[in-house]
Amino acid sequence: MPPLPAVLVSILSVQGGAALAKGLFPVLGSTGTVGLRTGLSAVILLAAFRPRLHRLSAAQWRVVLPYGLVLGVMNLVFYASLSRIPLGLAVTVEFIGPLSVAVFGSHKPVDVAWVVLASAGIALITPWTAGTGVDPVGVAFALAAGVGWALYIVIGKRLSHLLSGGAAVSVGMLVAAVAVVPYAAAAGGFARLTAAGLAAGLGVALLSSAIPYTLEIIALKALPARTFGILMSLEPAVAALVGLVFLHEILSPMQWLAVTLVIAASAGSTLTARGAPAPHEADATEGWQGG
């Protein structure tokens, strides 16, 4: 697949996976859905990349362990936000994480404008804004997911210098599964799991993990990082459209304006950033799992 369509299909795949996951919430809850997705994703990625766990050094484990834990917690709180607010809003609020990494890693005066623009967008959908009708706990979970996403990018950057992309992601997902799956099981997340639910969970794992990861690797080999970052800045809009089409989540004009402002801030920071990772800019270990 050519690189530009690969990025766009990757974005659609991630958000389609999130929409499918949200459809499992009535049966498994957000925690059970995260546990199922993480466990199946770990199996898929370990089978695909076959990392040699016994050959990892102590220095590699010291980075891959927090990387995997952050990955697991990030997805837990993101899915918790999805259970309370629309997909498009959750992704928009969460996107403040990678945007912050790009802006604060650049230290250019123009980046103040992108911070203001993104902050204005987030302010439009915060619970204290009159008439939003947005669940404050859902927004808080999405913000927590954004913090996790920022940490994930920073730690992933370090890990990319210690392990290849496939090994890093597969071992990181294994760590996330070890942390999340027992927690989901203890919380009763799998009590109502059926064969149909397991099949849907496999679809979530493929759409949210294996497929977009593969497509982004293809795109990153051919596209400049800046172009890749600009394309990935479209993700909040795609999330809102996927939520509208598949989940019938209708955003208000004010909420669409918020999405637009965050996209503009993300694209602008990508265009002006030099030497700092743009939003979603990946070494092959970062970007595709955020949501």
Side-chain angles (χ1 to χ4, degrees):
M1 184 179 293
L4 289 176
V7 175
L8 296 176
V9 173
S10 171
I11 295 172
L12 285 170
S13 181
V14 169
Q15 300 311 324
L20 180 58
K22 193 163 184 175
L24 285 172
F25 288 0
V27 178
L28 302 179
S30 64
T31 301
T33 303
V34 174
L36 184 61
R37 170 196 164 176
T38 305
L40 292 175
S41 294
V43 171
I44 292 170
L45 291 170
L46 288 171
F49 296 106
R50 300 181 182 180
R52 298 179 180 181
L53 300 178
H54 63 284
R55 293 193 176 182
L56 295 184
S57 66
Q60 290 171 323
W61 278 114
R62 280 195 295 269
V63 180
V64 80
L65 285 175
Y67 171 83
L69 289 173
V70 166
L71 172 60
V73 173
M74 176 181 68
N75 282 292
L76 273 174
V77 293
F78 178 72
Y79 275 38
S81 74
L82 280 186
S83 68
R84 293 174 175 269
I85 63 177
L87 173 61
L89 297 187
V91 173
T92 298
V93 175
E94 184 199 28
F95 214 78
I96 204 71
L99 178 60
S100 298
V101 174
V103 168
F104 292 111
S106 175
H107 302 296
K108 296 180 67 176
V110 71
D111 290 323
V112 175
W114 309 132
V115 173
V116 172
L117 200 61
S119 299
I122 298 300
L124 290 175
I125 53 176
T126 48
W128 56 78
T129 304
T132 60
V134 178
D135 188 313
V137 178
V139 173
F141 278 133
L143 285 171
V147 173
W149 200 351
L151 292 172
Y152 176 79
I153 291 173
V154 173
I155 299 172
K157 192 79 172 176
R158 290 181 57 197
L159 186 59
S160 68
H161 298 296
L162 299 174
L163 284 174
S164 66
V169 171
S170 55
V171 178
M173 189 64 76
L174 173 62
V175 174
V178 169
V180 171
V181 172
Y183 173 74
F190 304 137
R192 299 170 61 190
L193 181 63
T194 63
L198 183 62
L202 180 60
V204 172
L206 289 170
L207 289 171
S208 300
S209 302
I211 292 174
Y213 173 73
T214 303
L215 291 175
E216 287 184 13
I217 289 297
I218 293 171
L220 283 165
K221 289 180 179 179
L223 291 177
R226 182 171 296 187
T227 303
F228 181 82
I230 293 171
L231 290 171
M232 295 303 288
S233 300
L234 298 172
E235 191 157 351
V238 174
L241 290 173
V242 168
L244 174 64
V245 174
F246 294 104
L247 300 173
H248 308 293
E249 296 175 339
I250 300 174
L251 302 187
S252 69
M254 192 69 71
Q255 291 168 345
W256 274 110
L257 177 59
V259 171
T260 302
L261 291 176
V262 171
I263 291 172
S266 177
S269 68
T270 302
L271 285 169
T272 57
R274 290 184 182 178
H280 280 281
E281 187 175 314
D283 287 302
T285 62
E286 53 193 65
W288 58 274
Q289 288 120 331

